[in-house]
Amino acid sequence: NAGVTQTPKFQVLKTGQSMTLQCAQDMNHNSMYWYRQDPGMGLRLIYYSASEGTTDKGEVPNGYNVSRLNKREFSLRLESAAPSQTSVYFCASSGNRHTEAFFGQGTRLTVV
Amino acid sequence: RKEVEQDPGPFNVPEGATVAFNCTYSNSASQSFFWYRQDCRKEPKLLMSVYSSGNEDGRFTAQLNRASQYISLLIRDSKLSDSATYLCVVDSSASKIIFGSGTRLSIRP
């Protein structure tokens, strides 16, 4: 009954460090998404994947890379973290049209 | 023009009031519509789907207007616990959904 699982929940990085945020879903969904949400702001799409092996840029892709390893997993990588990437990151997945999207609990990332 | 647009608010209304939000979308081919609720520092969660014929769930009513390309959410007899951000969601293709930026609602005693 896990739904969408994100790890880690919290992370502090130094400027220039790299890290990968992990996301996995167990609902057999085709589409997966990475969003960032800054304080008091809405969700902004970083990347999404319509199916295994495909990824597309969203609204704010700069500074990020993604990998859709298989149908279950969609990871987000920060190669060289910057303070501007301090945010809450949400992973989501959705099935075919007319089905709702489910979110992970978020990763709170601080870059100092 | 953004694919999905919402009034960011905040809407500040007294307990017991009726409040309504609209959300416009640009893709006339969109077929799926939803309202999500997001509490502070939490992940968004589905509030209700929006069907062509409208949808009512207790104090919440969602409507779709295809001609004018907007969806609406009406909350009657608002409660303090309704304070949250409400996000509209529209599909832009068979495999992708788009979230609006959200409308902040604050209910005061």
Side-chain angles (χ1 to χ4, degrees):
Chain A
N1 208 23
V4 179
T5 303
Q6 274 183 249
T7 56
K9 287 189 168 53
F10 300 93
Q11 184 71 51
V12 178
L13 290 178
K14 292 183 179 177
T15 297
Q17 285 186 315
S18 62
M19 79 162 294
T20 300
L21 280 64
Q22 307 286 354
C23 176
Q25 52 92 10
D26 60 3
M27 295 170 284
N28 202 36
H29 284 166
N30 286 319
S31 300
M32 296 186 74
Y33 311 79
W34 275 107
Y35 294 92
R36 64 176 286 174
Q37 188 172 38
D38 300 326
M41 305 290 286
L43 297 169
R44 290 190 291 171
L45 182 64
I46 305 171
Y47 271 94
Y48 86 104
S49 169
S51 62
E52 179 182 347
T54 69
T55 61
D56 284 285
K57 294 179 180 179
E59 186 183 350
V60 288
N62 291 345
Y64 305 95
N65 287 303
V66 290
S67 178
R68 185 74 181 269
L69 303 168
N70 47 55
K71 195 170 187 180
R72 290 189 64 248
E73 298 171 295
F74 188 37
S75 61
L76 178 72
R77 183 161 178 84
L78 286 70
E79 289 293 348
S80 179
S84 61
Q85 294 178 305
T86 294
S87 190
V88 179
Y89 292 83
F90 288 106
C91 175
S93 71
S94 65
N96 296 328
R97 221 166 202 161
H98 308 301
T99 60
E100 67 181 281
F102 293 83
F103 282 80
Q105 291 184 313
T107 296
R108 283 155 181 76
L109 175 68
T110 301
V111 183
V112 297
Chain B
R1 182 186 172 189
K2 287 189 173 183
E3 288 190 67
V4 178
E5 296 203 67
Q6 293 183 250
D7 182 341
F11 285 66
N12 189 319
V13 302
E15 202 172 1
T18 295
V19 61
F21 317 128
N22 282 346
C23 167
T24 60
Y25 61 94
S26 61
N27 186 352
S28 60
S30 293
Q31 296 181 29
S32 304
F33 308 90
F34 306 92
W35 282 103
Y36 277 67
R37 171 188 169 131
Q38 185 177 25
D39 294 300
C40 187
R41 298 177 65 79
K42 297 286 186 68
E43 73 273 23
K45 293 186 178 179
L46 179 69
L47 177 66
M48 59 198 306
S49 302
V50 187
Y51 306 123
S52 296
S53 56
N55 189 15
E56 185 171 321
D57 184 3
R59 298 181 294 107
F60 297 83
T61 301
Q63 298 277 2
L64 167 63
N65 185 316
R66 283 195 183 276
S68 300
Q69 294 185 203
Y70 73 86
I71 62 173
S72 64
L73 178 68
L74 180 79
I75 305 174
R76 290 181 298 277
D77 187 24
S78 53
K79 312 290 185 192
L80 294 175
S81 58
D82 294 334
S83 295
T85 296
Y86 292 85
L87 306 163
C88 70
V89 183
V90 178
D91 68 314
S92 71
S93 72
S95 60
K96 184 181 180 185
I97 56 173
I98 301 290
F99 278 78
S101 297
T103 298
R104 286 173 50 202
L105 173 64
S106 179
I107 308 297
R108 63 179 187 269

